[in-house]
């Protein structure tokens, strides 16, 4: 007499299941380490790109990827020189290659006297493949495009800006 395999129509997740052996085909994507560098002071510029802060990580394998996350609180100020203050924030990898950048614009001065200020935030995300097991340093740099551009990290916004590096295993 032949046997017929009956397949269940669902799994009762309230049951306890014991697995033996190993799972194959599930892929990688394991979080191997997380490193965070908060910004605990305010920084302002009226000029070109300068390094704001850095964070380093040492990948455990050449096949690892680094997920780079920056959370930036900023202040745009006309500084008495413009009704349209703006700035740029960028993420750079170990070789100073730009991974991504964002533009912060205050769309106009309501008072018309170039002294209004505007606060907001930017989030930058990039995935890097360093192909190395040597320490890698990632940077956040910024510049003003008009007026004064500030990155906040002190006072009421203490540690309001940060750079986080997450190593993802293959």
């Amino acid at each position: 007499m032949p046997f017929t395999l009956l397949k269940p129509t669902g799994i009762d997740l309230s049951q306890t299941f014991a697995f033996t052996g190993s799972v194959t085909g599930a892929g990688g994507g394991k979080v191997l380490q997380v490193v965070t560098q908060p910004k605990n002071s305010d920084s302002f510029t009226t000029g070109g790109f300068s390094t704001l802060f850095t964070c380093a990580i040492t990948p455990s394998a050449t096949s690892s990827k680094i997920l780079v996350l920056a959370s930036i609180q900023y202040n745009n100020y006309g500084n008495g020189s413009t009704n349209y203050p703006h700035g740029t924030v960028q993420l750079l990898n170990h070789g100073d290659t730009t991974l991504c950048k964002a533009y912060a614009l205050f769309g106009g001065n309501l008072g018309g006297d170039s002294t209004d200020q505007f606060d907001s935030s930017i989030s930058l995300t990039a995935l890097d493949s360093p192909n190395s097991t040597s320490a890698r340093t990632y940077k956040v740099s910024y510049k003003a495009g008009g007026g004064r551009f500030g990155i906040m990290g002190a006072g009421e916004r203490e540690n309001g800006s940060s750079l986080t590096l997450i190593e993802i295993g293959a």
Side-chain angles (χ1 to χ4, degrees):
M1 171 177 237
F3 289 100
T4 302
L5 176 63
L6 299 175
K7 295 183 179 181
T9 58
I11 296 175
D12 182 358
L13 296 177
S14 66
Q15 299 291 318
T16 302
F17 297 94
F19 293 95
T20 59
S22 62
V23 176
T24 61
K30 299 167 193 73
V31 172
L32 301 178
Q33 64 176 310
V34 177
V35 180
T36 298
Q37 178 62 55
K39 175 115 177 75
N40 52 20
S41 63
D42 293 345
S43 299
F44 298 94
T45 186
T46 56
F49 276 113
S50 61
T51 298
L52 186 60
F53 60 119
T54 64
C55 188
I57 192 168
T58 303
S60 57
T62 57
S63 59
S64 293
K65 306 258 189 241
I66 306 297
L67 180 61
V68 186
L69 308 166
S71 176
I72 307 296
Q73 290 188 359
Y74 69 88
N75 171 269
N76 275 331
Y77 171 55
N79 206 31
S81 63
T82 181
N83 290 346
Y84 301 97
H86 58 282
T88 303
V89 178
Q90 64 183 2
L91 286 177
L92 299 121
N93 70 5
H94 188 74
D96 283 342
T97 300
T98 301
L99 297 173
C100 65
K101 66 172 64 175
Y103 185 69
L105 171 67
F106 177 30
N109 186 300
L110 298 178
D113 63 2
S114 331
T115 60
D116 285 347
Q117 296 188 47
F118 175 77
D119 292 348
S120 193
S121 61
I122 294 173
S123 294
L124 299 170
T125 304
L127 185 64
D128 193 31
S129 301
N131 195 28
S132 175
T133 56
S134 298
R136 308 322 261 171
T137 300
Y138 293 84
K139 302 175 188 176
V140 174
S141 69
Y142 74 130
K143 75 172 185 173
R148 183 187 75 184
F149 187 57
I151 305 300
M152 315 313 283
E156 293 176 4
R157 301 176 195 109
E158 187 170 345
N159 301 328
S161 297
S162 64
L163 179 58
T164 301
L165 308 175
I166 302 172
E167 180 184 2
I168 309 294

